[in-house]
Amino acid sequence: NFGMDDDQITIVQQGQGVPALSDNNAAIALDPSDPCKILAKPHGHGDVHALLHSHGVAKKWLSKQGMQYAVFFQDTNGLAFHCLPLALGVSDELG
């Protein structure tokens, strides 16, 4: 658990996903072995907020663990880490 207690870790799982597109014309991707079956993909980054709400994770953070802030890092650009502390500081200062 990387030094964390079990009650500090919550795992949520996305649902069945959303229809996948097969090309730039937005054609719905179909299963090659079953042309009546639509292929799906994960919801993506935006789904994390709905999952936190629907699973009560944010309420748990606020009520049981006393957290005030949460930072989401959903970027493949490691340089974004340089601005996260600044963004958190400005958010705290400006409310």
Side-chain angles (χ1 to χ4, degrees), residues 21-39:
L21 304 177
S22 63
D23 59 32
N24 288 336
N25 293 321
I28 301 293
L30 302 175
D31 187 334
S33 62
D34 181 359
C36 294
K37 182 179 178 185
I38 295 175
L39 295 177

Side-chain angles (χ1 to χ4, degrees), residues 11-94:
I11 298 174
V12 295
Q13 183 176 359
Q14 292 183 342
Q16 297 297 318
V18 295
L21 304 177
S22 63
D23 59 32
N24 288 336
N25 293 321
I28 301 293
L30 302 175
D31 187 334
S33 62
D34 181 359
C36 294
K37 182 179 178 185
I38 295 175
L39 295 177
K41 65 173 196 67
H43 285 247
H45 289 184
D47 197 41
V48 68
H49 305 99
L51 288 169
L52 291 176
H53 174 72
S54 65
H55 288 270
V57 176
K59 282 185 180 180
K60 176 181 153 188
W61 286 347
L62 290 170
S63 65
K64 295 181 182 175
Q65 295 178 349
M67 288 178 61
Q68 289 183 293
Y69 304 103
V71 176
F72 293 98
F73 181 74
Q74 297 177 315
D75 197 326
T76 56
N77 180 357
L79 295 175
F81 275 117
H82 294 286
C83 67
L84 287 175
L86 299 171
L88 187 57
V90 169
S91 295
D92 182 48
E93 187 172 311
L94 298 179

